[in-house]
Amino acid sequence: MNKSTTKLIFVLALFCSILKSQTNFGFVKGFVTDAKTNDTLIGAIVNVSVKNAVTTNLQGFFELKLIPGTYTLQCSLVGYKTFKTSIEIKENETITTSILLEDVNTALDEVVISAGKFEQKLSDVTVSMDIIKPALIENKNVTNLDVIINQVPGVTVADGQVSIRGGSGFSYGAGSRVLMLVDEMPMISADAGDIKWNYLPLENIEQVEVIKGASSALFGSSALNGVINLRTIYAKEKPITKIISFFGSYDAPSKTYKWWKGTTQFQKGINISHAQKIGNLDFVIGAHQFTDDGFRMLETEDRQRFNCNLRYNFKKIPGLAVGVNTNMMNVRGGLFFLWQSYDSAYIPQGRTIQKYNNDRFNVDPFVTYFWKNNKLSLRNRYFKTVNRNDKNQGSNAELYYSELQYQKHFANNLNLTTGAVYMEQQVLGDSLYGKHSGQNIAAYVQADRKFFNRLTVSLGLRGEFYKLDTAKTVGYLFPQNRSVTLPFQPVARIGLNYQALEYTFIRASFGQGYRFPTVAEKFVSTAVSSLKIYPNNSLQPERGYSTEIGVKQGFKIAGFKGFFDAVAFYTKYQSMIEFVFNIYKPGGATGVFYQDIAYAGFKSQNIGEAQISGYETSVSGAGKIGPINVTVFSGYTYINPINPNFNAAKDTLGLQGVKTLKYRSKHLIKSDIQLDYKFLSIGYSARFQSKTENIDRRFVQSILHEYNDIANGVNWDEVDATYILPGLNKNFGEFQKSFWVHDARISVSLNKSIKISFIVNNLTNVSYQARPGDLRAPTQYVGQLAIKL
């Protein structure tokens, strides 16, 4: 044979060999579902070896291509027991199987997303984190998310301003150091940069995750003090409809002379939600209506909210889904800010109140694509706020947000997350802020890897650029000495979690933070009651870091499974922004004369350094003790928040000689327990807050004023510092006190679908203030009817 014939035979033989090898494979495929609910499970890892593994797609489907032989097929997913079975694959054979995963039902195996933007066990997280389940929100008949956030250990909310472990003080309606997310995207207004608590869709909650400490590396500017992520539900295999209706009334305050003449103040509302799969379409709809007469004169609220989540899963392109989520609300009412006097604490100053008629609207289109161990997502948000307020306080703003994210899960237990963010804010010219525009551009990467099946290491890095009108980010590689400048601000984090014993997890973390001032903090110019709010265009960004070391210990008592958590933490800020109450004369000077009281008000200022140290212990868990199902969620927090450079001779940050940061309490106790026995359920909540040790000194120190200039001298008189808040100085002990607030509830399930409840908030009718001039609600009685179909 010649050379050409030999080459032809060789090529044909090689082709036949390849063809034969391609037909020597077998296949195993199927669906992975929850054993109890029969819901399909996304992201479950199915494998026969480390190198031969796939993850289930949006339909819970998997397929493995295998060489003929005998294998151990394994399936695992966070929060479920690992499934194992033996299979034999023959040539050209396809095995179809269904895998049912059983819930492990332990608190340590709760599945969370917020800590690393991917699903992981709570026990593996490298930061402090708490979870709020929708059952607790329903049981307490929560109408605004901030009410239940106030039940989380170490967290307080005052006048809408949330603070985690003392990281924030009082800053009414302007900025937030805690980032609010809805489905992993920021829900912070473009103008004030604050959280609209009554806008959040409580009727469609899957769960709420609270991260404590600086989280800017993954989440950006407003995450300086932590993150709250509200995850909404998606449709399950079985349609679910919920209707919750409630009606309540306020009791008279404990000191009845503070009440105004009139009838008892009522509150009523209804929540409706429905989730269903329609072919390849996941469909969720929710509606909310709420009317509140208020517990203070003229402070009313009437709101309507509607939301809808849609997701379409492509059958011909497994793993591809597109969708859109939307939420909209109109809310009208009256805003109470300061009392008329201490003896008329439930009556607004001047017996008039700021009226508002506000609209909120967001639409969130998204695309996600899963293939093998990869995930690519593009999420977008348009968020519009319209505030039609009287007294020259209207505003109109729009926020545009887009995030492209890629995740890769490697066979060596490495999870890589990287992404880019573009955000634009437009304040469209109004009486409150004027016309302004801003941009935020950021890129981030985070790697999480588990070594030796015990040590989890998390590393994250972000570059952040922010621009507001002509002001923009000037980054520092070393924020302490600022010797090297950058066109962006780098922020980093590192976290470690080591499983020392079967149910013992030791963690440590360090995270940097960076927050750019909001439009409201820099440009707001308005008045609230008799107080003015002043702009500060020279305001500088905040920088800081937080670090912690903690241990999480799982335990079991009879059928009750839970964990004990203890952590020590330290936070430090530079150029910290605080609302400062003072007398601001034109030109920026401060005065002490009677006529200068007309210039009393708040201004956002950089107060310099702040240091917050402390520790926290908590217990959480659920399960049966005897015939009773018990759920516990409680904790104690101690903080020591100080301004190390406080100078009493010139600073107006607080009472003379007191270095404690303003509007903070050193001791917090939070606890909730639920007991379920057959058709009967009983619940109890308690919150303890030690006294507020420091406030703006102008609220409590008297002011001298010149009232008569006689030929050879000047006579002086003293004006009560509480000219703004009559009676506060005289009754300062009533403000600066520790207090307990107790809530109780009882419910009866008539059948599997219908439950009636009776809830009492502030059971002992304690009188307390969240900040000067803001006496909180007396006892409230609520009846609730819940229907689940």
Side-chain angles (χ1 to χ4, degrees):
M1 292 186 292
N2 58 32
K3 291 183 178 180
S4 297
T5 305
T6 303
K7 289 180 180 179
L8 179 60
I9 294 172
F10 176 77
V11 169
L12 289 173
L14 180 62
F15 177 77
C16 291
S17 176
I18 294 173
L19 187 63
K20 183 178 179 181
S21 67
Q22 288 178 337
T23 59
N24 266 343
F25 288 100
F27 298 86
V28 57
K29 61 182 181 180
F31 292 87
V32 179
T33 57
D34 186 296
K36 289 183 179 179
T37 66
N38 202 36
D39 294 328
T40 55
L41 298 176
I42 303 169
I45 300 174
V46 184
N47 69 289
V48 294
S49 67
V50 173
K51 294 184 178 180
N52 203 336
V54 294
T55 58
T56 56
N57 62 18
L58 291 172
Q59 290 78 39
F61 178 78
F62 72 92
E63 183 175 3
L64 278 170
K65 182 180 179 182
L66 303 171
I67 297 173
T70 301
Y71 298 92
T72 298
L73 182 70
Q74 180 172 297
C75 180
S76 61
L77 181 64
V78 173
Y80 290 86
K81 294 180 181 178
T82 299
F83 171 89
K84 291 182 180 180
T85 188
S86 179
I87 59 171
E88 182 181 357
I89 298 294
K90 297 180 181 179
E91 183 178 336
N92 299 325
E93 181 185 34
T94 298
I95 295 177
T96 301
T97 183
S98 294
I99 297 177
L100 302 177
L101 294 187
E102 295 182 1
D103 190 348
V104 291
N105 194 30
T106 64
L108 288 172
D109 287 308
E110 288 278 9
V111 181
V112 296
I113 290 179
S114 303
K117 293 201 172 186
F118 68 96
E119 288 191 349
Q120 58 186 144
K121 292 181 182 180
L122 180 61
S123 57
D124 288 336
V125 171
T126 61
V127 294
S128 291
M129 192 171 183
D130 286 307
I131 301 173
I132 303 171
K133 291 295 186 179
L136 181 59
I137 295 173
E138 178 185 322
N139 291 338
K140 290 178 66 68
N141 197 67
V142 173
T143 56
N144 282 357
L145 186 66
D146 57 331
V147 175
I148 199 66
I149 292 297
N150 219 9
Q151 193 67 47
V152 176
V155 182
T156 58
V157 184
D159 254 0
Q161 182 78 19
V162 59
S163 173
I164 297 178
R165 294 172 176 168
S168 300
F170 169 68
S171 179
Y172 181 77
S176 175
R177 291 194 188 97
V178 177
L179 179 61
M180 183 71 225
L181 303 173
V182 175
D183 292 325
E184 302 177 60
M185 289 190 294
M187 190 60 81
I188 298 289
S189 62
D191 46 12
D194 63 342
I195 302 172
K196 309 299 185 186
W197 297 103
N198 61 0
Y199 180 62
L200 303 172
L202 298 186
E203 55 274 16
N204 282 332
I205 282 185
E206 177 73 23
Q207 69 181 24
V208 179
E209 300 168 358
V210 181
I211 300 175
K212 301 174 180 178
S215 303
S216 293
L218 265 186
F219 298 101
S221 176
S222 294
L224 185 65
N225 185 216
V227 174
I228 301 171
N229 183 23
L230 186 157
R231 293 166 52 188
T232 60
I233 62 173
Y234 267 103
K236 311 294 184 182
E237 292 298 322
K238 182 181 178 181
I240 300 174
T241 301
K242 295 182 181 180
I243 303 172
I244 298 176
S245 179
F246 57 91
F247 180 86
S249 67
Y250 295 100
D251 200 349
S254 55
K255 297 179 180 179
T256 55
Y257 63 85
K258 298 177 185 176
W259 200 248
W260 69 92
K261 293 181 180 180
T263 58
T264 304
Q265 304 303 102
F266 295 110
Q267 180 186 93
K268 61 182 178 181
I270 186 169
N271 295 329
I272 302 173
S273 67
H274 177 75
Q276 182 177 357
K277 285 182 176 292
I278 306 173
N280 294 334
L281 179 68
D282 295 344
F283 174 76
V284 179
I285 190 170
H288 165 81
Q289 196 281 327
F290 176 74
T291 301
D292 188 7
D293 293 337
F295 60 90
R296 297 184 285 205
M297 178 181 284
L298 305 178
E299 186 185 36
T300 62
E301 184 176 4
D302 185 8
R303 67 175 181 250
Q304 297 81 38
R305 186 171 62 229
F306 174 81
N307 45 75
C308 182
N309 293 357
L310 300 174
R311 182 176 68 181
Y312 184 81
N313 306 302
F314 289 84
K315 262 192 174 181
K316 293 185 178 180
I317 310 177
L320 177 63
V322 299
V324 60
N325 300 340
T326 187
N327 190 21
M328 61 191 72
M329 181 185 74
N330 173 260
V331 56
R332 301 178 301 279
L335 183 64
F336 185 105
F337 187 71
L338 295 176
W339 65 39
Q340 178 171 281
S341 68
Y342 181 78
D343 290 335
S344 301
Y346 290 89
I347 299 175
Q349 285 191 4
R351 292 181 175 263
T352 62
I353 208 163
Q354 181 190 108
K355 296 179 181 179
Y356 60 85
N357 183 354
N358 300 337
D359 292 327
R360 312 269 183 261
F361 171 74
N362 73 276
V363 58
D364 307 341
F366 64 89
V367 180
T368 59
Y369 181 47
F370 290 87
W371 74 100
K372 295 184 178 179
N373 296 320
N374 302 270
K375 177 187 176 183
L376 183 66
S377 64
L378 176 63
R379 294 180 175 272
N380 308 277
R381 169 164 289 159
Y382 170 74
F383 182 27
K384 185 175 179 64
T385 57
V386 179
N387 301 320
R388 291 179 291 270
N389 298 0
D390 64 356
K391 300 185 180 180
N392 201 35
Q393 295 198 34
S395 65
N396 193 340
E398 296 178 341
L399 183 140
Y400 304 85
Y401 179 88
S402 185
E403 180 175 359
L404 179 65
Q405 183 186 110
Y406 170 72
Q407 288 186 356
K408 170 74 173 179
H409 182 79
F410 295 88
N412 58 356
N413 288 324
L414 171 65
N415 200 90
L416 182 67
T417 303
T418 183
V421 171
Y422 176 80
M423 184 174 71
E424 183 175 319
Q425 57 191 124
Q426 297 288 339
V427 180
L428 305 176
D430 50 57
S431 56
L432 190 57
Y433 306 115
K435 187 175 183 179
H436 304 280
S437 63
Q439 286 182 326
N440 175 217
I441 302 172
Y444 61 87
V445 61
Q446 177 160 308
D448 296 85
R449 185 177 179 185
K450 200 163 191 176
F451 297 89
F452 322 116
N453 209 31
R454 284 187 176 270
L455 176 63
T456 300
V457 180
S458 179
L459 297 171
L461 181 65
R462 185 184 187 99
E464 187 94 345
F465 172 80
Y466 217 110
K467 182 180 179 182
L468 183 55
D469 293 346
T470 58
K472 61 182 179 181
T473 295
V474 177
Y476 301 103
L477 188 59
F478 306 104
Q480 294 291 342
N481 57 34
R482 304 189 174 185
S483 58
V484 180
T485 61
L486 299 168
F488 60 91
Q489 179 60 50
V491 288
R493 71 171 300 270
I494 180 171
L496 303 172
N497 185 307
Y498 180 69
Q499 185 177 0
L501 299 170
E502 184 177 5
Y503 298 113
T504 305
F505 300 84
I506 302 170
R507 69 181 183 277
S509 68
F510 169 85
Q512 293 178 310
Y514 171 79
R515 189 178 82 88
F516 203 85
T518 66
V519 170
E521 289 170 314
K522 290 173 71 72
F523 302 113
V524 64
S525 180
T526 186
V528 179
S529 292
S530 56
L531 295 180
K532 288 182 170 57
I533 312 296
Y534 292 93
N536 186 358
N537 193 23
S538 62
L539 209 58
Q540 297 300 306
E542 298 176 290
R543 292 173 171 85
Y545 67 85
S546 65
T547 183
E548 69 170 50
I549 182 168
V551 59
K552 195 181 293 289
Q553 177 64 56
F555 64 87
K556 181 180 179 182
I557 302 174
F560 181 89
K561 297 178 181 179
F563 63 83
F564 170 80
D565 191 271
V567 60
F569 55 85
Y570 177 79
T571 300
K572 186 172 183 178
Y573 293 121
Q574 291 179 307
S575 303
M576 187 178 192
I577 298 173
E578 288 274 87
F579 245 23
V580 178
F581 176 60
N582 206 349
I583 311 297
Y584 295 98
K585 292 201 300 185
T590 59
V592 293
F593 302 115
Y594 179 74
Q595 60 268 28
D596 296 327
I597 291 180
Y599 301 106
F602 284 98
K603 179 191 287 188
S604 293
Q605 296 187 13
N606 294 108
I607 68 167
E609 285 192 7
Q611 297 176 4
I612 305 167
S613 59
Y615 56 88
E616 184 173 284
T617 60
S618 62
V619 177
S620 183
K624 281 196 172 183
I625 299 179
I628 300 175
N629 195 69
V630 181
T631 305
V632 174
F633 181 46
S634 62
Y636 164 73
T637 308
Y638 168 77
I639 64 170
N640 184 30
I642 64 170
N643 173 13
N645 302 318
F646 177 77
N647 184 345
K650 66 183 183 71
D651 287 343
T652 62
L653 303 178
L655 303 176
Q656 188 169 355
V658 180
K659 289 187 175 182
T660 303
L661 294 170
K662 298 179 302 175
Y663 305 108
R664 290 163 171 87
S665 301
K666 287 190 173 182
H667 303 274
L668 299 171
I669 300 175
K670 308 290 181 71
S671 183
D672 185 90
I673 184 169
Q674 174 87 9
L675 305 176
D676 301 315
Y677 177 69
K678 295 184 178 179
F679 59 87
L680 181 67
S681 297
I682 298 174
Y684 168 77
S685 294
R687 299 181 300 283
F688 171 80
Q689 189 168 321
S690 63
K691 68 178 183 178
T692 302
E693 298 195 0
N694 194 7
I695 64 173
D696 291 284
R697 66 187 177 99
R698 291 298 191 198
F699 277 125
V700 291
Q701 290 183 351
S702 298
I703 303 172
L704 294 176
H705 78 91
E706 181 182 0
Y707 74 90
N708 190 18
D709 188 355
I710 304 177
N712 296 320
V714 176
N715 291 331
W716 297 85
D717 193 10
E718 189 175 63
V719 175
D720 190 345
T722 55
Y723 173 83
I724 300 296
L725 281 173
L728 176 65
N729 207 0
K730 180 180 178 181
N731 300 280
F732 190 63
E734 282 296 304
F735 164 75
Q736 196 183 42
K737 68 177 182 180
S738 302
F739 60 85
W740 282 92
V741 179
H742 304 273
D743 306 329
R745 58 189 184 267
I746 185 170
S747 63
V748 176
S749 297
L750 303 182
N751 54 43
K752 291 183 178 181
S753 301
I754 301 175
K755 182 179 72 173
I756 56 174
S757 305
F758 181 67
I759 301 134
V760 183
N761 297 318
N762 194 357
L763 182 66
T764 58
N765 208 8
V766 65
S767 175
Y768 66 100
Q769 297 174 55
R771 47 107 179 137
D774 182 33
L775 208 61
R776 301 311 300 154
T779 301
Q780 183 191 33
Y781 308 99
V782 180
Q784 182 197 81
L785 172 65
I787 302 174
K788 298 181 181 179
L789 304 174

